[in-house]
Amino acid sequence: MKFSISKDVLLAKLGIAVRGVSTRSAIQTLSGVLIRAGSGGVQLQATDMELGLRVDLEAATEREGTVVLPGRLLLDVVRSLPKDQVTLEHRAGDGDVEVVAGSAKFHLRTLPPEDFPNLPEAGSEPLRVPTQAFVETINRVARAASRDETRPHLTGVLVSANERELRMVATDSYRLSVKETELAEPLAGSLEVNVPARTLQELTRVAGEGGDEIEVTALENQVVFSAGGVVLSSRLVEGRFPNYRQLLPESFEHELAVSGPELLDVVRRISLLAQKNAPLRLRFEDGGVEISAQTPDVGEASESIPIPFKGEPFEIGFNPEFFREGLESAESDEITLKLISPLRPGLIQSGDFTYLVMPIRLNV
Amino acid sequence: MEEPRCIAHMDMDAFYVSVELQRRPELRGKPVVVAGSSGRAVVTTASYEARKFGIFSATPAERARRLCPDAIFIPPDFESYRARSGEVMAVVRDHVENVEQAGLDEAYLDLTGLARPKAAARRIKAEVSEATGLTCSFGIGPNKLVAKVASDAEKPDGFVVLTASEARERFAPEKPGLIPGIGPKTADRLAAKGIDTLGKLASLPEESLVEWFGGNQGPWLGRLARFEDERPVTAHRAVKSESKETTFEHDLRGFDALAPLLGDLAESLCTDLGKKDRRGRTIGIKVRLADFSIHTRARTLNDPTNDREVVRRVATELLREFDPRSPVRLLGVRVAGLDEAAPADDQLALGV
């Protein structure tokens, strides 16, 4: 293998690929980036077995071949090089790759390529979805997925697409986030997959610079996304995604129109005094809500805003972070806050976005 | 009156090896060992054939090679084990609401309130094996301790149901170390007092235990030996600390040789913490010397952190203060007192 390329191009593409490198696998090769130089150009690959990245780059290949090099180290080396052409040459006899830029010369020992897994290929007829809608929907929903690896079936986002609707759902059992995005054009096919939230967050990073469409291929237990010269593949989450519709209450006692940004400001301020697992308290009375928090030995805070509430006053507690994230993800001037009673779920709604959040039982 | 509890402990049989054997059936019936490849690696699982040679979990790989030169060594593939574990736990969660996963290959199931708990457990056992082709052992009892010890009693493919008094009787002749929680040091101290069986420990007067082990640990040991255990089955175990450690190919000597490694460990630890958005206030180091003695040092900060520079700096200070004089086999960095998503006790959850 031998090719030359501009340092800046290599650095940019390598930076993307290295995000797929495994940081703690027992298989040493997975800490590496596979570099395949072919007649059509060069491809970088990395995977931690859960997520795989393939990045194409244009380079003048002098000799074809494939090597695996330690990913982090190679990135550090390339970043440190002077702005210039870089040449990488595999020296099979020495078991290393020579990296040359100007008079700087590195010899990096290769890792065994036979341990490097084959990454799944995108299908010949992928589903094309608009990048902007896809990325925005991920950004609004994915943070509600669980990070608790002992509950793997909740670590994913249920992605469904059909006709003109793109829907994503995530829940960590304390809150549930749903967005049903209407697409400008009907899709050519349909899709329903439970994708690890981490994969989708990675996709938002690589797809940002890509074209107008993301190509999605759902395989039996893998999914492959292609966008802007980057192919991101991932295993799918095993286990059935909860039937989220039955978690949404059919009706609510109170439906309150509120200014999203105003409520969010208040929640952010008052949450400063909701430390150490202390709840954020919302006390509803005729015409207003008082939001308060109290942390023993630290202090307390409260603030009231007008709200069209009528009826028996009550107080409900929420995890400040869960409640705040719901308001942030609503991304709207006008939201509707829907409530039943202190121990029943609350709901934040704005347009096609729905966020269910479970309360904290208040002691007093 | 409260309903008596019924707890099951499910333990997969030689889990890692069994997963490997499914991929490589030609190795069935042979001594197979899953262990890392570095000179200092230890065995993570041994097949039952390999166990006949005296190879168990935590046997140094080198020693395992000497014990059974014909054993087939396979490097661990945790990604696969995690995936298979997910399949197993999915089956379990289909049947039981309250499941406490205690590792990739074991879980406690709260069967209290089920009409026929033993039948349910048998069904789960059969379904796990049907769905995954892997076998497991079940122990069932009135608490986690009885369940855990019972699941280990007739491995592999075991199914043991015991009351607390049956457990006391059955395991009375066994060594105290049989009980999880009674470690080798405690076992040695007990043996020095002539207490070399669980039966003897169970019948010791509480005063003697208090005298020897103090007012907390003493009575606790007595309760363990009598198979008394009140711990609840809790679906989520809040992880309170995370650590990274590395065992060296060759022992390292002196602060200057060790300090740079703390930077690497701190970086990898903080990367993981950052991904989970978790921070901790207590930073610690762990040092294992050439004589296998383990030393830990820790310091608690005012504010939680996952900043690798902060973690590296504090860990380096701790190492400088400890200044190990003899060669070091293993070095670790730990961040404890993690805040984050340990949900409030009164947080209500959706039934998912």
Side-chain angles (χ1 to χ4, degrees):
Chain A
M1 179 208 76
K2 184 176 183 184
F3 65 91
S4 297
I5 188 168
S6 108
K7 175 227 167 174
D8 287 342
V9 173
L10 180 59
L11 180 59
K13 303 288 186 181
L14 196 57
I16 295 172
V18 162
R19 299 189 61 91
V21 159
S22 171
T23 49
R24 53 178 167 181
S25 173
I27 304 167
Q28 201 194 7
T29 300
L30 295 185
S31 67
V33 168
L34 181 139
I35 306 173
R36 175 172 293 144
S39 52
V42 173
Q43 187 174 70
L44 309 175
Q45 298 187 6
T47 179
D48 62 3
M49 300 301 281
E50 175 169 307
L51 185 149
L53 276 165
R54 269 172 292 175
V55 187
D56 286 323
L57 43 102
E58 284 176 25
T61 301
E62 270 181 58
R63 200 163 67 236
E64 298 181 11
T66 303
V67 297
V68 180
L69 286 175
R72 288 256 145 221
L73 177 62
L74 181 63
L75 182 66
D76 287 343
V77 166
V78 172
R79 187 184 289 128
S80 74
L81 295 175
K83 278 191 194 297
D84 210 340
Q85 283 292 108
V86 188
T87 302
L88 280 80
E89 179 175 9
H90 184 205
R91 309 191 306 167
D94 298 297
D96 66 19
V97 165
E98 184 172 76
V99 182
V100 180
S103 66
K105 188 185 285 181
F106 292 80
H107 292 145
L108 307 178
R109 307 287 173 264
T110 57
L111 297 170
E114 58 275 10
D115 295 346
F116 202 93
N118 285 323
L119 299 178
E121 297 288 337
S124 55
E125 287 183 12
L127 185 68
R128 293 169 206 278
V129 291
T131 302
Q132 200 194 340
F134 206 78
V135 167
E136 195 210 330
T137 310
I138 294 171
N139 287 336
R140 303 271 293 274
V141 169
R143 62 206 293 193
S146 177
R147 296 180 198 130
D148 182 351
E149 286 176 18
T150 65
R151 312 187 73 193
H153 66 301
L154 301 182
T155 57
V157 175
L158 183 69
V159 179
S160 333
N162 190 18
E163 294 288 320
R164 289 178 60 177
E165 185 182 83
L166 170 67
R167 185 176 65 229
M168 296 196 196
V169 188
T171 178
D172 62 4
S173 83
Y174 306 117
R175 64 260 177 82
L176 167 80
S177 197
V178 183
K179 179 157 164 49
E180 292 167 335
T181 306
E182 192 180 332
L183 303 174
E185 303 284 331
L187 296 171
S190 67
L191 179 75
E192 178 157 299
V193 280
N194 188 356
V195 186
R198 184 187 146 221
T199 298
L200 293 178
Q201 278 153 351
E202 222 34 76
L203 179 65
T204 62
R205 293 196 183 91
V206 301
E209 307 156 33
D212 296 342
E213 286 183 330
I214 296 175
E215 298 179 355
V216 190
T217 307
L219 304 169
E220 192 183 345
N221 44 23
Q222 308 243 27
V223 62
V224 183
F225 299 99
S226 313
V230 179
V231 178
L232 188 148
S233 53
S234 165
R235 68 166 181 88
L236 291 173
V237 175
E238 289 171 34
R240 195 174 304 138
F241 194 86
N243 179 358
Y244 73 94
R245 288 183 201 278
Q246 70 181 29
L247 301 172
L248 297 167
E250 283 178 7
S251 64
F252 290 85
E253 286 293 306
H254 303 280
E255 302 203 358
L256 309 163
V258 198
S259 152
E262 186 184 3
L263 183 58
L264 180 56
D265 272 352
V266 175
V267 165
R268 281 191 179 132
R269 269 196 290 280
I270 304 304
S271 294
L272 293 172
L273 273 297
Q275 302 173 7
K276 301 176 184 165
N277 272 341
L280 188 73
R281 291 160 175 267
L282 282 73
R283 180 163 184 78
F284 293 90
E285 288 169 337
D286 267 354
V289 56
E290 184 192 56
I291 296 162
S292 68
Q294 178 189 8
T295 307
D297 302 327
V298 177
E300 53 272 330
S302 70
E303 184 169 354
S304 297
I305 49 174
I307 200 168
F309 180 88
K310 282 196 183 69
E312 194 67 15
F314 75 92
E315 188 173 40
I316 187 167
F318 289 112
N319 174 310
E321 192 184 344
F322 296 163
F323 194 68
R324 190 197 71 229
E325 289 188 355
L327 294 173
E328 285 171 356
S329 299
E331 287 184 5
S332 171
D333 288 348
E334 293 297 326
I335 62 161
T336 307
L337 198 56
K338 300 185 180 181
L339 298 161
I340 302 169
S341 64
L343 298 182
R344 302 292 313 279
L347 194 123
I348 296 167
Q349 182 122 44
S350 78
D352 56 13
F353 175 78
T354 303
Y355 187 92
L356 190 73
V357 55
M358 291 300 285
I360 290 176
R361 187 191 301 271
L362 296 174
N363 292 321
V364 272
Chain B
M1 206 185 96
E2 233 178 88
E3 190 175 7
R5 297 199 298 158
C6 181
I7 311 295
H9 181 254
M10 179 193 74
D11 200 8
M12 303 302 295
D13 297 327
F15 181 56
Y16 301 165
V17 163
S18 305
V19 171
E20 296 292 351
L21 288 182
Q22 284 190 329
R23 292 197 276 203
R24 304 169 63 176
E26 70 276 12
L27 300 182
R28 274 185 202 285
K30 296 183 178 160
V32 174
V33 171
V34 174
S37 52
S38 82
R40 284 284 167 75
V42 294
V43 172
T44 52
T45 317
S47 70
Y48 290 96
E49 289 79 9
R51 293 181 195 194
K52 289 181 193 140
F53 292 88
I55 303 173
F56 298 97
S57 296
T59 303
E62 261 183 43
R63 185 174 143 74
R65 273 179 226 279
R66 282 201 307 276
L67 286 170
C68 180
D70 295 332
I72 294 135
F73 281 70
I74 299 178
D77 171 8
F78 288 102
E79 328 283 335
S80 294
Y81 308 153
R82 203 169 291 130
R84 302 308 305 277
S85 170
E87 294 170 25
V88 171
M89 297 303 164
V91 173
V92 175
R93 290 199 170 91
D94 267 354
H95 290 273
V96 183
E97 200 169 322
N98 192 359
V99 179
E100 174 180 331
Q101 198 175 337
L104 286 178
D105 58 349
E106 56 173 318
Y108 292 96
L109 287 52
D110 193 343
L111 307 178
T112 310
L114 294 187
R116 301 176 60 214
K118 278 175 271 182
R122 284 203 185 275
R123 200 161 55 235
I124 295 169
K125 187 171 182 316
E127 277 190 29
V128 164
S129 139
E130 222 169 84
T132 66
L134 300 166
T135 66
C136 58
S137 296
F138 263 75
I140 297 182
N143 59 46
K144 286 163 89 170
L145 178 56
V146 173
K148 167 91 180 171
V149 176
S151 72
D152 206 35
E154 294 181 15
K155 270 186 156 295
D157 207 17
F159 192 92
V160 177
V161 184
L162 294 173
T163 63
S165 62
E166 284 167 349
R168 273 199 291 281
E169 200 172 316
R170 174 165 178 165
F171 301 113
E174 301 284 346
K175 292 197 166 61
L178 179 76
I179 301 274
I182 302 186
K185 276 189 190 163
T186 309
D188 286 350
R189 285 176 65 192
L190 285 166
K193 305 279 184 193
I195 311 298
D196 54 1
T197 68
L198 280 171
K200 289 184 189 171
L201 180 57
S203 54
L204 264 190
E206 182 143 322
E207 302 88 80
S208 314
L209 282 167
V210 171
E211 186 187 329
W212 297 339
F213 292 97
N216 277 327
Q217 203 196 351
W220 175 70
L221 286 172
R223 286 197 296 277
L224 289 181
R226 293 190 298 275
F227 285 90
E228 296 166 9
D229 178 15
E230 293 294 323
R231 289 172 301 156
V233 175
T234 42
H236 323 288
R237 289 201 311 172
V239 182
K240 295 288 197 276
S241 74
E242 288 210 20
S243 60
K244 291 275 167 185
E245 54 187 52
T246 176
T247 303
F248 307 125
E249 289 289 327
H250 305 286
D251 294 345
L252 291 180
R253 193 184 279 274
F255 175 82
D256 291 341
L258 294 164
L261 298 159
L262 287 175
D264 296 346
L265 291 168
E267 161 142 36
S268 121
L269 177 58
C270 289
T271 304
D272 281 4
L273 290 172
K275 278 186 197 160
K276 299 175 195 157
D277 195 25
R278 303 193 74 177
R279 294 168 187 76
R281 285 177 59 203
T282 302
I283 294 163
I285 59 166
K286 171 173 164 186
V287 180
R288 176 181 259 163
L289 300 178
D291 63 3
F292 276 88
S293 60
I294 292 178
H295 305 263
T296 56
R297 295 289 183 274
R299 174 165 303 149
T300 298
L301 312 176
N302 284 330
D303 296 307
T305 184
N306 61 12
D307 181 330
R308 67 183 164 148
E309 262 322 295
V310 174
V311 174
R312 188 195 58 76
R313 183 171 49 75
V314 175
T316 307
E317 284 166 16
L318 290 167
L319 181 69
R320 193 189 298 281
E321 288 159 23
F322 175 55
D323 195 15
R325 293 304 165 91
S326 41
V328 172
R329 288 177 66 90
L330 172 151
L331 189 63
V333 176
R334 171 184 201 83
V335 172
L338 296 176
D339 51 7
E340 197 246 349
D345 293 343
D346 300 318
Q347 169 74 59
L348 305 181
L350 297 161
V352 290

